Amino acid sequence: MWADVRQVADGTYLVHGSNTNWVILTEGDAATLVDTGYPGDRERVLASLAQVGSSPEAVAAVLITHAHNDHLGSAEFLRAAYGTPVLAHEAEVPHARREFLHQVSVGQVLRNGLRPGVLPWAVHALRSGGTAKVPVSVAQAFPTGGPLDLPGRPVPVFTPGHTDGHCAFHLPQTGALIAGDALASGHPTSRIEGPHLLPDMFHHERARAVASLDVLAGLEGDLLLPGHGPLYRGPVREAALRARERAL
């Protein structure tokens, strides 16, 4: 299978899966994989690693921005099959283990079913494993307070709201932000183009998600690598502030 891999900077790749993105950071053939798409994206995940000259055996760690199924999809598979560490913010670790679930419910989707794009998105999510049971049996907390000792040297940026432990990753050396779902540039259920928050039904605590945009606005960079939507080129600060204005 072929994957839609876009190189956005040296050693930095944005991969478009089925409605969800993930990021690969490389140093030689070693890699850091940030998110893993839906469970149904597994073959695309493996293909994307091969396309950048890496392999699942060479993945130093899977970093999870947050533990929704469309980002957590193949994390447990990689851990179980290849011994890959799965790392998340300490507040998100129990979510990844499925000690609880903060994810849009079927009832919320039905209540929003008349909104443009919601029902086609829901059908795709179901077919791709959006409600599958994919807990990470051994998820670990990454250290905070500086760059991680992994390919790409990503710096965790705590951005709660979408989930309690949502975390973006800043790449100061390339001026890029891996935003997860703290900041989107497109989504099948949204008609907004450019930087914005996902629709309200997707956030565990919307007010905190809005507040986290102020954290992102304090970062330097001009490449936004969102969890949903295309690459956005422009100051990260302006992207975050624009999303905040649209959310108010």
Side-chain angles (χ1 to χ4, degrees):
M1 177 178 286
W2 177 84
D4 184 359
V5 179
R6 313 290 178 94
Q7 183 170 6
V8 300
D10 288 344
T12 306
Y13 302 86
L14 178 65
V15 188
H16 297 288
S18 59
N19 288 352
T20 306
N21 304 331
W22 56 91
V23 175
I24 304 173
L25 308 174
T26 61
E27 290 181 7
D29 67 347
T32 302
L33 179 60
V34 186
D35 289 341
T36 66
Y38 280 102
D41 285 329
R42 180 173 301 166
E43 293 305 316
R44 288 187 179 91
V45 170
L46 298 177
S48 66
L49 290 168
Q51 286 171 226
V52 305
S54 188
S55 67
E57 294 89 345
V59 175
V62 173
L63 296 180
I64 297 299
T65 60
H66 64 293
H68 285 163
N69 270 24
D70 58 334
H71 296 256
L72 192 68
S74 289
E76 174 63 10
F77 164 76
L78 291 168
R79 189 207 65 78
Y82 300 98
T84 313
V86 179
L87 309 178
H89 188 276
E90 63 180 358
E92 197 70 3
V93 166
H95 193 197
R97 293 174 180 159
R98 287 297 182 260
E99 295 174 16
F100 55 83
L101 180 62
H102 290 162
Q103 188 164 285
V104 63
S105 68
V106 173
Q108 288 173 303
V109 172
L110 292 175
R111 286 193 294 274
N112 285 271
L114 295 180
R115 289 187 50 180
V118 169
L119 290 182
W121 166 81
V123 170
H124 174 272
L126 287 171
R127 289 176 174 172
S128 301
T131 59
K133 295 182 179 180
V134 288
V136 178
S137 56
V138 184
Q140 305 170 54
F142 48 66
T144 57
L148 301 179
D149 187 18
L150 293 169
R153 305 281 290 171
V155 180
V157 182
F158 187 43
T159 44
H162 185 66
T163 63
D164 281 350
H166 188 286
C167 196
F169 296 95
H170 189 212
L171 308 175
Q173 70 277 19
T174 58
L177 171 67
I178 303 171
D181 283 4
L183 183 56
S185 64
H187 193 271
T189 65
S190 174
R191 293 297 175 261
I192 301 175
E193 296 182 359
H196 64 278
L197 275 184
L198 291 173
D200 292 355
M201 67 176 177
F202 293 113
H203 301 297
H204 181 60
E205 293 186 73
R206 184 182 184 277
R208 292 181 80 194
V210 173
S212 286
L213 292 171
D214 290 336
V215 176
L216 298 182
L219 302 175
E220 296 294 328
D222 57 8
L223 289 174
L224 172 63
L225 282 56
H228 300 276
L231 170 72
Y232 179 84
R233 295 186 182 273
V236 168
R237 172 178 173 78
E238 292 181 11
L241 291 177
R242 185 179 178 190
R244 199 181 199 290
E245 290 173 1
R246 286 171 157 172
L248 297 178

